[in-house]
Amino acid sequence: QVQLVESGGGLVQAGGSLRLSCAASGLIFSTAAMGWFRQAPGLEREFVARIGWSGSSTYYGDSVKGRFTISRDNAKNTIYLQMNSLRPEDTALYYCAATTYASVTDPTLYRYWGQGTQVTVSS
């Protein structure tokens, strides 16, 4: 059974930083492309970042480009999202997800999802 467990969310002031982690089990992690998405109340799920199986390929949503960094450690079956210069509009529930597709940002193409970790940025 595949499990994705996010951690690292919390409350932070605008301009601050957080680092999210997502620990995976039950899948061949080193061959899975992974992504981060977020969803604020009343809004659709939004693509944040994705990373290829080797970690050499990354891609970001326009709203986080230059502020967030996605990375992975295949030895630990874990991906990370370093979030800097946080803004109140970054407030959302953040999810990690796994896909067998390469280079996708469509959430419907991600098969496995975690339960999410809440990030709240105060102004």
Side-chain angles (χ1 to χ4, degrees):
Q1 183 178 357
V2 175
Q3 278 196 315
L4 302 177
V5 180
E6 303 95 335
S7 62
L11 174 64
V12 64
Q13 288 189 329
S17 299
L18 282 175
R19 188 194 196 204
L20 306 184
S21 300
C22 172
S25 62
L27 77 167
I28 304 175
F29 183 79
S30 60
T31 65
M34 302 292 293
W36 285 99
F37 293 79
R38 66 187 182 186
Q39 190 166 19
L43 299 180
E44 292 187 353
R45 194 162 294 190
E46 177 189 9
F47 167 77
V48 174
R50 62 161 175 80
I51 187 165
W53 65 271
S54 71
S56 61
S57 171
T58 59
Y59 185 74
Y60 299 90
D62 288 341
S63 61
V64 307
K65 204 171 295 183
R67 300 187 297 124
F68 291 10
T69 303
I70 189 171
S71 62
R72 67 189 295 161
D73 185 339
N74 286 348
K76 296 182 178 180
N77 284 9
T78 301
I79 66 166
Y80 305 95
L81 186 68
Q82 178 66 44
M83 306 186 295
N84 298 329
S85 302
L86 283 162
R87 305 167 180 168
E89 53 264 39
D90 294 319
T91 295
L93 191 60
Y94 282 71
Y95 299 91
C96 73
T99 180
T100 56
Y101 294 93
S103 307
V104 293
T105 62
D106 183 348
T108 65
L109 297 179
Y110 284 75
R111 180 173 181 182
Y112 301 107
W113 291 82
Q115 294 299 306
T117 185
Q118 178 68 37
V119 171
T120 303
V121 184
S122 63
S123 57

